[in-house]
Amino acid sequence: RDSPEGFLHPSSFRPTPGVQTSRQILEIAPTLLYLVAGALVVIGLAGLVLPLLPGAPLIFAGLVLASWADDFQYVGAISLTVFGLLALLTYAVDFAATAFGAKRFGASPRAALGAAIGALLGLFFGLLGVALGPFAGAVAGELSNQRSLAEASRAGLGATLGLVIGAGLKLALGFTMLALYALMRFMGPL
């Protein structure tokens, strides 16, 4: 503080021991961004098959954070726009697959709604609940529509099949996003 340049000159400031400087914090920031990005991607992958989590938006957010950590050197605005479109496409695919399964097997809108509710409630009953919840929900929806047990079972199968196909397609789109990111990040822009 006794510097010849004066009291407020930058050379008169010395970091306090044990306190991080802004330069040290900036060196940690990319690592923190990568950790958060990785967590978002993992949770997003789970969200592609679990109905409560917005899978594709979480994956997209993770890829944006990872790109930000790299100062957008490898993945830029065009690539992120493509990732965003792929994330939006997961919703269209999910809707179309569910509608296809329901329509193909003669399910009513109540069966599709019942399958979605069954999938949600099935989460509370472990793997068996996740597997059987959509079927049971669709059957219950059809039975509430005054259909026979045979018709309700057929509709339940269709609605469940639609949900499974939708989940598979959403996973494919999610892994496509990750593969494209990895290609651009580690092999350079396409």
Side-chain angles (χ1 to χ4, degrees), residues 30-129:
T31 304
L32 182 61
L33 286 175
Y34 283 129
L35 288 173
V36 173
L40 286 172
V41 167
V42 168
I43 295 168
L45 286 172
L48 292 175
V49 293
L50 299 175
L52 283 178
L53 298 171
L58 289 174
I59 293 172
F60 177 68
L63 296 179
V64 169
L65 278 179
S67 301
W68 185 19
D70 288 330
D71 288 329
F72 301 99
Q73 285 181 310
Y74 305 102
V75 177
I78 293 173
S79 302
L80 290 174
T81 301
V82 169
F83 296 153
L85 292 173
L86 287 172
L88 288 174
L89 186 59
T90 64
Y91 289 100
V93 161
D94 191 34
F95 178 77
T98 302
F100 168 77
K103 186 172 184 140
R104 177 91 169 110
F105 287 82
S108 70
R110 281 189 185 185
L113 178 62
I117 292 171
L120 182 65
L121 293 176
L123 290 175
F124 299 107
F125 299 99
L127 189 57
L128 190 62

Side-chain angles (χ1 to χ4, degrees), residues 2 10 18 22-23 29-30 38 57 61 71 77 80 92 98-100 103 105 111 115 133 135 137 142 164 172-173 186:
D2 297 328
S22 60
R23 173 173 273 158
D71 288 329
L80 290 174
T98 302
F100 168 77
K103 186 172 184 140
F105 287 82
F135 178 79
E142 283 299 300
V164 169
L173 287 168
F186 299 110

Side-chain angles (χ1 to χ4, degrees), residues 8 24 44 48 54-55 67 78 148 154 169:
L8 294 178
Q24 290 169 322
L48 292 175
S67 301
I78 293 173
S148 72
R154 180 176 160 85
L169 292 172

